[in-house]
Amino acid sequence: MFNSLKAARSLIPLCIFLILALVLYQGLKQDPSLLPSAMVGKPVPKFKLATVNDSNQFYTEEIFRGKISLLNVWATWCISCRMEHNFLNKLAADGSIQLIGLDYRDRLAAVEQWQHALGDPYKYDLFDEEGRVAIDLGVYGTPETFIIDPQGIIRYRHVGIIDQAAWENDLLPVIEKIRGRG
Amino acid sequence: MLRKFILISCIYCCSIFAASDNYTFADPKQQQLFVNLTQNLRCLVCQNQNIAESNAPLAQDLRREVVELINANKSETEIIEFLVSRYGEFILYKPEFNQHNYLLWLGPGIMLLIGGFICFRTIRQQSQVET
């Protein structure tokens, strides 16, 4: 009796080690660069921005009213944006959702080249030269994509490239949920 | 002598900011607020640097934002609220105590209590064996 108690007690360090190992192993799988957004559930911040193609044409947050929109924060210097651009072109061709681009800290000459070479999926090409609207959106890197409902509320934020898998697993379910209610 | 000098300059290096842009304020209190804030706000791109030290474009933008808020006579809490409402608590190097992070705040104390208890018990047992 006494011996088995002693044996059980000697297993305690092993148990602690296993629990710790499990916790730390879970930690390894997390990507520390993925941060939760504080903006989900809040309305799109107020803005007034020109487009990349016309510095006299201004738009405000009103463009989000009445439609489900995808707000894609991108830049020509962002390699990942180049990688997801094709998929965005496909989404635009499909036409089921309004795509709005927010060009972040960019040079217009580079944007013109980009549009020429890779196409332009956005209905509105907003130009955030100084990154002010990006700060209001809590953006910390490109690409970031927000799903915004017809009431102008941010419903989801996706960090990183949108591809078929991310679209089907992460973004489409949110959009379908909004559609179901609206 | 030379070794002493190198050693001392190494220590002082740590407290010099690497940030390239310089903002000056008319009021030294505002200057102090700016230094305090930017040293305690995390750059979200290079997460182990504060926004005073980082040269990431986002850190530059955030410094500019902090300067503008200070010049608009916003208080320290107002500026922190402004940033937390956009970037979340992660931007604070010293987050508020709340239900998500209470274990992190209290953990060391709890560990100390457990360790102290084990220590106390072991010492008492040992001294009993000796006597």
Side-chain angles (χ1 to χ4, degrees), chain B residues 3-126:
Chain B
R3 263 171 72 179
K4 220 178 195 173
F5 174 75
I6 292 171
L7 219 78
I8 289 171
S9 43
C10 279
I11 293 166
Y12 276 93
C13 268
C14 310
S15 60
I16 296 169
F17 312 159
S20 55
D21 47 5
N22 266 316
Y23 290 106
T24 45
F25 296 88
D27 185 350
K29 266 187 195 157
Q30 289 184 325
Q31 183 79 44
Q32 191 56 44
L33 178 60
F34 176 71
V35 171
N36 278 349
L37 275 169
T38 50
Q39 284 190 323
N40 288 304
L41 293 170
R42 186 200 302 267
C43 170
L44 296 110
V45 183
C46 24
Q47 299 180 355
N48 291 326
Q49 276 189 310
N50 58 33
I51 65 168
E53 287 167 349
S54 173
N55 267 322
L58 179 65
Q60 290 169 18
D61 287 354
L62 286 172
R63 280 198 295 272
R64 181 197 63 209
E65 204 74 27
V66 169
V67 168
E68 286 173 1
L69 289 167
I70 290 173
N71 283 332
N73 276 324
K74 300 273 187 226
S75 72
E76 185 172 356
T77 33
E78 279 173 316
I79 296 170
I80 286 175
E81 252 169 49
F82 173 93
L83 291 165
V84 168
S85 73
R86 286 159 177 75
Y87 287 99
E89 287 246 304
F90 191 78
I91 199 168
L92 303 176
Y93 267 123
K94 194 177 167 190
E96 301 291 314
F97 181 86
N98 62 31
Q99 78 256 34
H100 302 296
N101 60 24
Y102 68 94
L103 258 180
L104 268 179
W105 277 103
L106 300 179
I110 294 170
M111 286 301 190
L112 192 70
L113 280 179
I114 294 172
F117 174 73
I118 292 172
C119 238
F120 175 74
R121 223 187 47 176
T122 319
I123 290 167
R124 214 178 52 176
Q125 273 175 358
Q126 300 244 330

